[in-house]
């Protein structure tokens, strides 16, 4: 009985083995048919072979892919509490392959009800619990061996670091995401002062050289994103004493600043076009540029329109002024030009500011081919959204001013900035303070924090109004202090202390 069963099993096994061998032989034959001449088997063989090839190349590229690209999601600073978290998320895409990447996107798992508030270098879309992050503008292309960091601010019901569910490179879904994706969390609180990197040796200018605009980002001579952080003088005619080398050095060495803005009013009393001593004003600018240059700092020459509302009103003087300045400082890598501080009143972008800029920019470019030129925007340099829909074309290294006074300008102006950045407009916060739009009144530090979340997450450059001891909230120096450099913390105003802290990165 047992033997009989055993025999039966043996026969079955033998038959199975035969079947396998037969299948293999057929398989080989089909394979052969591909390279052979039998037309009837060719179609079968072709498709069999193609699918094998496809499978093979898919497996191969999957292996290659997990080594070829790497994506990391890092939660930077986060805020809020149970029920409503906000966080800054940065996504680094590393191209380890030997081909340039034109575009990439990632799908992240997020809790339902999450919403993205700001983005940089990418666009986002949330459907249910899938957040699609599509790299755009300067974030999209990653040359071989290169890497790029894009990011966004997101509100979530709970504190999370999202997992990457899938990612795509040049339209092709990539495998090995689990391998490639890694998440880590850093919080600003965790970085203790003693763990901060040593300040770089050498001056800002020695280390970063001539600046350029790439996409919406200001970058240094090495192509690295670079943030200018510093202060604006008050009106040069009114507070000339702060244009001194020690003052600038205090801003550089004690505050950690790398830029000074020289504000020259055009139409207020003592203004360049309203009876001011033009030679004296130009000497102050020249001194300021030279001190900044000796200290290896960047310096902005600001044509501070305000009372004159429309830059076209003093256009003739502006043409002469910028022709002269750009000829004088053509070889200075650290000089930036701000051509109209704050258009306001009835000055529109299309009718006034843009035509003015299109007149002045070529005048500067004739002498200085590549300096950064900052163009003011309507409504006291707030309407960067309007400009984003109609930017100046055919020019490089152009940025657009956005100014804010935190106690007056809140979400709606921040939304304009986000809109502008999303639409590829490079913005520069060339003037701001923490108080109201008059430069006085109480500071709104809560709003100021919100502004700095936006500024720092987008690496925007900024200059704080104003380096003076005027008895107004925005003055950085206590009104009772007559020192013009080397201020102790006690000699700074509330604004001064807050801004110094901010520039220092605390
Ligand atoms: C800007 C100007 C700047 C002005 C500050 C604060 O103006 F670019 O020149 O500075 O913001 O208002 C102030 C000084 C005062 C000085 C006065 C001369 O702090 O010491 O006496 O300039 O006029 C803005 C910015 C925004 C708005 C309005 C003004 N706004 N503005 O949104 O309404 O009318 O000056």
């Amino acid at each position: 009985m047992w033997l009989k069963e055993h025999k039966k099993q043996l026969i079955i096994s033998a038959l199975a083995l035969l079947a396998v061998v037969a299948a293999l032989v057929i398989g080989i034959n089909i394979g052969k048919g591909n390279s052979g001449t039998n037309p009837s088997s060719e179609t079968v063989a072709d498709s069999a072979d193609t699918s094998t090839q496809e499978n093979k190349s898919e497996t191969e590229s999957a292996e290659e892919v997990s080594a070829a690209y790497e994506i990391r999601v890092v939660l930077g600073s986060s805020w809020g509490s149970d029920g409503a978290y906000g966080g800054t998320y940065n996504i680094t895409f590393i191209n380890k392959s030997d081909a340039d990447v034109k575009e990439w996107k990632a799908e992240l798992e997020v809790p339902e009800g999450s919403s993205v508030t700001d983005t940089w270098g990418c666009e986002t879309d949330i459907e249910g619990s899938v957040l699609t992050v599509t790299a755009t503008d300067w974030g999209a292309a990653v040359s071989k061996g290169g890497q790029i960091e894009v990011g966004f601010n997101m509100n979530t019901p709970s504190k999370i670091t999202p997992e990457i569910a899938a990612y795509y490179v040049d339209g092709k879904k990539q495998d090995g995401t689990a391998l490639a994706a890694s998440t880590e969390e850093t919080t600003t609180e965790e970085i203790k002062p003693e763990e901060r990197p040593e300040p770089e040796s050498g001056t800002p200018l020695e280390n970063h050289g001539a600046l350029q605009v790439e996409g919406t980002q200001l970058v240094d001579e090495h192509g690295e994103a670079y943030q200018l952080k510093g202060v604006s003088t008050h009106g040069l005619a009114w507070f000339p004493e702060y244009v001194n080398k020690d003052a600038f050095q205090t801003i550089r060495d004690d505050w950690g600043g790398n830029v000074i803005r020289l504000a020259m009013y055009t139409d207020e009393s003592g203004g360049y076009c309203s009876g001011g001593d033009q030679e004296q004003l130009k000497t102050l600018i020249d001194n300021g540029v030279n001190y900044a240059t000796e200290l290896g700092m960047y310096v902005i020459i600001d044509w501070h329109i305000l009372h004159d509302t429309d830059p076209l009103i003093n256009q003739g003087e502006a043409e002469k002024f910028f022709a002269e300045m750009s000829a004088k400082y053509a070889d200075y890598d650290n000089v930036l030009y701000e051509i109209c501080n704050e258009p306001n009143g009835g000055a529109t972008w299309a009718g006034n500011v843009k035509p003015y800029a299109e007149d002045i920019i070529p005048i500067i470019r004739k002498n200085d081919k590549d300096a950064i030129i900052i163009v003011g925007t309507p409504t006291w340099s707030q309407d960067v959204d309007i400009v984003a829909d109609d930017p100046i074309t055919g020019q490089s290294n152009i940025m657009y001013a956005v100014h804010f006074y935190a106690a007056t300008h809140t979400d709606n102006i921040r939304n304009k900035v986000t809109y502008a950045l999303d639409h590829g407009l490079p913005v520069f916060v060339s003037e701001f303070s923490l108080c109201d739009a008059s430069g006085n009144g109480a500071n709104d530090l809560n709003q100021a924090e919100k502004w700095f979340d936006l500024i720092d997450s987008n690496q925007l450059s900024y200059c704080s109004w104003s380096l003076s001891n005027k008895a107004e909230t925005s003055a950085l120096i206590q009104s009772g202090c007559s020192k013009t450099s080397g201020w102790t913390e006690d000699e700074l105003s509330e604004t001064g202390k807050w801004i110094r802290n901010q520039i220092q990165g605390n």
Side-chain angles (χ1 to χ4, degrees), residues 172-472:
K172 195 160 179 268
K173 184 169 182 178
Q174 303 298 318
D175 231 333
T177 44
L179 265 178
S182 75
T183 58
E184 63 185 83
E185 182 179 331
T186 56
T187 59
T188 35
E189 294 78 35
E190 276 169 17
I191 307 168
K192 298 195 190 80
E194 58 272 24
E195 288 169 5
R196 269 201 211 98
E198 281 291 303
E200 52 191 7
S201 60
T203 67
L205 185 59
E206 279 165 359
N207 293 327
H208 299 282
L211 307 180
Q212 295 165 54
V213 179
E214 260 179 32
T216 57
Q217 184 67 57
L218 186 64
V219 302
D220 68 8
E221 65 178 354
H222 313 293
E224 304 281 339
Y226 189 54
Q227 214 175 350
L228 291 181
K229 305 176 183 185
V231 300
S232 173
T233 66
H234 201 293
L236 289 180
W238 303 325
F239 293 91
E241 64 272 30
Y242 292 92
V243 181
N244 73 77
K245 191 171 170 183
D246 288 344
F248 292 9
Q249 186 157 359
T250 304
I251 299 299
R252 186 191 71 178
D253 296 345
D254 180 40
W255 295 40
N258 52 17
V259 63
I260 305 282
R261 177 186 190 236
L262 302 171
M264 186 186 70
Y265 280 90
T266 51
D267 199 38
E268 270 68 1
S269 89
Y272 192 84
C273 311
S274 53
D277 182 335
Q278 295 194 345
E279 288 313 311
Q280 209 175 338
L281 288 166
K282 282 189 287 199
T283 301
L284 282 167
I285 289 176
D286 200 42
N287 291 343
V289 169
N290 288 330
Y291 300 145
T293 306
E294 288 160 24
L295 292 163
M297 298 174 82
Y298 295 86
V299 59
I300 301 173
I301 300 176
D302 164 38
W303 182 256
H304 201 86
I305 72 159
L306 185 64
H307 181 255
D308 34 357
T309 70
D310 175 356
L312 292 174
I313 288 177
N314 288 312
Q315 184 178 21
E317 287 286 7
E319 286 171 355
K320 280 190 275 168
F321 176 80
F322 283 109
E324 191 179 331
M325 293 298 116
S326 59
K328 204 190 261 179
Y329 305 122
D331 297 331
Y332 287 57
D333 282 342
N334 58 328
V335 173
L336 296 79
Y337 303 94
E338 181 166 359
I339 62 175
C340 50
N341 167 52
E342 290 185 355
N344 61 86
T348 66
W349 174 246
N352 311 71
V353 188
K354 192 181 185 196
Y356 168 81
E358 286 173 338
D359 174 50
I360 301 294
I361 292 168
I363 291 173
I364 297 174
R365 285 286 174 256
K366 210 174 142 211
N367 298 318
D368 197 331
K369 297 275 170 281
D370 48 16
I372 306 289
I373 299 175
I374 305 167
V375 181
T377 59
T379 322
W380 297 283
S381 283
Q382 291 163 23
D383 295 341
V384 283
D385 53 339
I386 293 174
V387 177
D389 289 338
D390 180 24
I392 291 159
T393 54
Q395 293 284 348
S396 51
N397 294 341
I398 306 294
M399 301 187 84
Y400 299 86
V402 67
H403 293 177
F404 69 85
Y405 284 80
T408 305
H409 308 121
T410 61
D411 278 334
N412 66 323
I413 314 295
R414 283 192 290 272
N415 290 342
K416 284 170 182 268
V417 175
T418 303
Y419 180 94
L421 292 171
D422 283 350
H423 289 77
L425 196 81
V427 303
F428 194 124
V429 185
S430 50
E431 188 188 300
F432 75 97
S433 192
L434 321 176
C435 58
D436 70 35
S438 70
N440 212 347
N443 283 334
D444 189 335
L445 299 181
N446 189 31
Q447 286 295 331
E449 290 283 356
K450 291 189 179 177
W451 272 105
F452 268 82
D453 287 338
L454 181 65
I455 286 176
D456 282 334
S457 58
N458 290 289
Q459 303 223 50
L460 302 182
S461 293
Y462 60 86
C463 293
S464 168
W465 185 260
S466 73
L467 185 61
S468 78
N469 67 347
K470 184 163 177 171
E472 63 179 8

Side-chain angles (χ1 to χ4, degrees), residues 79 85-89 114-120 122 124 126 131 151-156 411 414-419 421-422 450 453-454 457-458:
W79 52 93
Y85 269 99
T88 295
Y89 297 85
S114 301
S115 64
V116 171
T117 52
D118 312 298
T119 59
W120 45 101
C122 62
T124 58
I126 297 190
L131 164 69
F152 51 88
N153 288 337
M154 178 166 62
N155 295 325
T156 50
D411 278 334
R414 283 192 290 272
N415 290 342
K416 284 170 182 268
V417 175
T418 303
Y419 180 94
L421 292 171
D422 283 350
K450 291 189 179 177
D453 287 338
L454 181 65
S457 58
N458 290 289

